[in-house]
């Protein structure tokens, strides 16, 4: 029986690329989305048609604990349970520091950090029962060494995901492996939208390979980390950033 992978925030960008790659690898796929219904349903249709596996598109705000419980219950009823969890859902409410509000800060942390906690906690009993599980938290170099004051809440949330990874790995081992990926500048539609060419050029110059990454390249790394080939990798933070320099 195929294992099931749940990717949060999977309708677009990195999440979409991960869903497609894991479908190619033979996993049944659960596409979680909050607002991008059209994109999620189109992706689910593509996955079922192209790979002949089971695929669900489920709406859920991961910061809402009751909504998460309902989503995972649906997965358990239709696909038994979640074997692989990719905590990818995130928001970035970029704004000048002096214009930031506590409400924005809390909302970012609620989605990016509390959301990851909510889903991990809900899938944990099934993984524990089966003595198997893989959880990948999608952080960012913004949580490590690349900081922008206009993204202070986002940066804090991505740093918190790294800490969450360590604690979950300690709690869930040895059979459930928890790792974290920290992408740098990845050329998704969200990442590129709204920036002028001068800014994009200056950011690219900070990267040793002199280009921004592709969502598919993050998906390849996820594919490896959840596979049996990575069975000795646990509680690890892996940067995928082309050798990106930190903030100066």
């Amino acid at each position: 029986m195929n294992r099931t992978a749940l990717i949060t925030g999977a309708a677009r960008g990195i999440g979409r690329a991960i869903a497609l790659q894991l479908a190619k690898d033979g996993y049944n796929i659960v596409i979680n989305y909050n607002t991008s219904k059209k994109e999620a349903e189109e992706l689910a249709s593509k996955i079922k048609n192209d790979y002949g596996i089971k695929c669900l598109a489920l709406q859920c705000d991961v910061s809402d604990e009751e909504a998460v419980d309902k989503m995972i219950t649906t997965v358990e009823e239709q696909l038994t349970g979640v074997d692989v969890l990719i905590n990818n859902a995130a928001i970035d409410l970029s704004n000048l520091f002096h214009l930031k509000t506590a409400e924005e800060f809390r909302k970012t942390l609620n989605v990016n950090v509390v959301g990851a906690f909510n889903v991990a906690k809900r899938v944990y009993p099934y993984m524990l029962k089966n003595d198997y599980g893989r959880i990948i938290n999608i952080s960012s170099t913004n949580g490590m060494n690349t900081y922008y004051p206009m993204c202070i809440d986002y940066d804090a949330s991505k740093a918190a995901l790294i800490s969450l990874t360590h604690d979950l790995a300690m709690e869930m081992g040895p059979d459930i492996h928890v790792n974290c990926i920290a992408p740098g500048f990845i050329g998704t539609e969200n990442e590129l939208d709204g920036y002028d060419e001068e800014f994009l050029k200056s950011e690219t110059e900070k990267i040793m390979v002199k280009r921004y990454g592709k969502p598919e390249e993050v998906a390849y790394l996820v594919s490896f980390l959840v596979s049996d080939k990575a069975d000795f990798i646990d509680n690890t933070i892996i940067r995928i950033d082309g050798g990106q320099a930190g903030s100066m």
Side-chain angles (χ1 to χ4, degrees):
M1 184 173 66
N2 291 2
R3 286 174 172 154
T4 295
L6 163 63
I7 305 95
T8 66
R12 304 171 64 191
I14 291 174
R16 183 180 191 277
I18 293 171
L20 286 169
Q21 180 61 49
L22 294 186
K24 184 178 180 181
D25 293 342
Y27 291 88
N28 292 324
I29 300 297
V30 180
I31 299 164
N32 159 254
Y33 69 95
N34 189 20
T35 59
S36 302
K37 181 178 180 179
K38 180 175 181 291
E39 293 90 338
E41 291 181 345
E42 288 176 350
L43 177 58
S45 179
K46 174 178 175 59
I47 286 174
K48 286 185 281 191
N49 290 336
D50 291 356
Y51 301 106
I53 51 91
K54 296 177 181 177
C55 183
L56 304 176
L58 300 178
Q59 190 279 334
C60 171
D61 176 354
V62 294
S63 69
D64 183 335
E65 190 175 7
E66 290 185 3
V68 168
D69 180 61
K70 182 178 178 181
M71 174 177 68
I72 303 303
T73 297
T74 299
V75 176
E76 290 171 342
E77 291 172 347
Q78 299 192 31
L79 297 174
T80 306
V82 175
D83 303 286
V84 172
L85 167 63
I86 314 299
N87 277 319
N88 173 72
I91 59 173
D92 179 6
L93 305 177
S94 297
N95 202 352
L96 295 174
F97 171 69
H98 68 278
L99 297 177
K100 283 278 185 183
T101 67
E103 181 180 357
E104 289 174 334
F105 208 110
R106 279 191 293 268
K107 183 174 181 179
T108 301
L109 293 179
N110 279 340
V111 174
N112 299 5
V113 185
V114 178
F117 165 81
N118 285 341
V119 186
K121 183 179 179 183
R122 183 59 181 79
V123 303
Y124 177 53
Y126 177 82
M127 293 180 174
L128 187 64
K129 180 183 69 174
N130 290 304
D131 297 322
Y132 178 88
R134 297 290 183 267
I135 297 176
I136 307 291
N137 294 321
I138 306 298
S139 179
S140 170
T141 54
N142 282 52
M144 302 177 74
N145 73 331
T146 307
Y147 313 113
Y148 298 97
M150 67 189 300
C151 302
I152 190 170
D153 46 351
Y154 179 84
D155 294 359
S157 74
K158 292 302 184 177
L161 273 180
I162 291 172
S163 179
L164 183 69
T165 297
H166 294 313
D167 287 336
L168 291 180
M170 293 292 291
E171 172 69 25
M172 296 182 174
D175 298 313
I176 301 168
H177 295 181
V178 186
N179 290 294
C180 181
I181 294 175
F185 193 174
I186 307 299
T188 65
E189 56 267 39
N190 285 345
E191 191 83 356
L192 299 177
D193 186 36
Y195 293 122
D196 58 37
E197 290 187 12
E198 183 178 346
F199 176 81
L200 294 176
K201 182 179 179 181
S202 68
E203 290 299 298
T204 303
E205 285 300 313
K206 298 177 184 177
I207 302 172
M208 289 181 182
V209 301
K210 301 306 178 187
R211 67 172 177 86
Y212 45 76
K214 302 173 183 178
E216 292 76 15
E217 292 173 312
V218 179
Y220 299 150
L221 179 55
V222 170
S223 174
F224 170 69
L225 285 177
V226 302
S227 74
D228 292 341
K229 295 177 182 178
D231 194 50
F232 199 55
I233 301 176
D234 192 14
N235 194 24
T236 296
I237 316 302
I238 301 178
R239 288 173 52 170
I240 177 166
D241 61 2
Q244 176 180 317
S247 299
M248 302 300 180

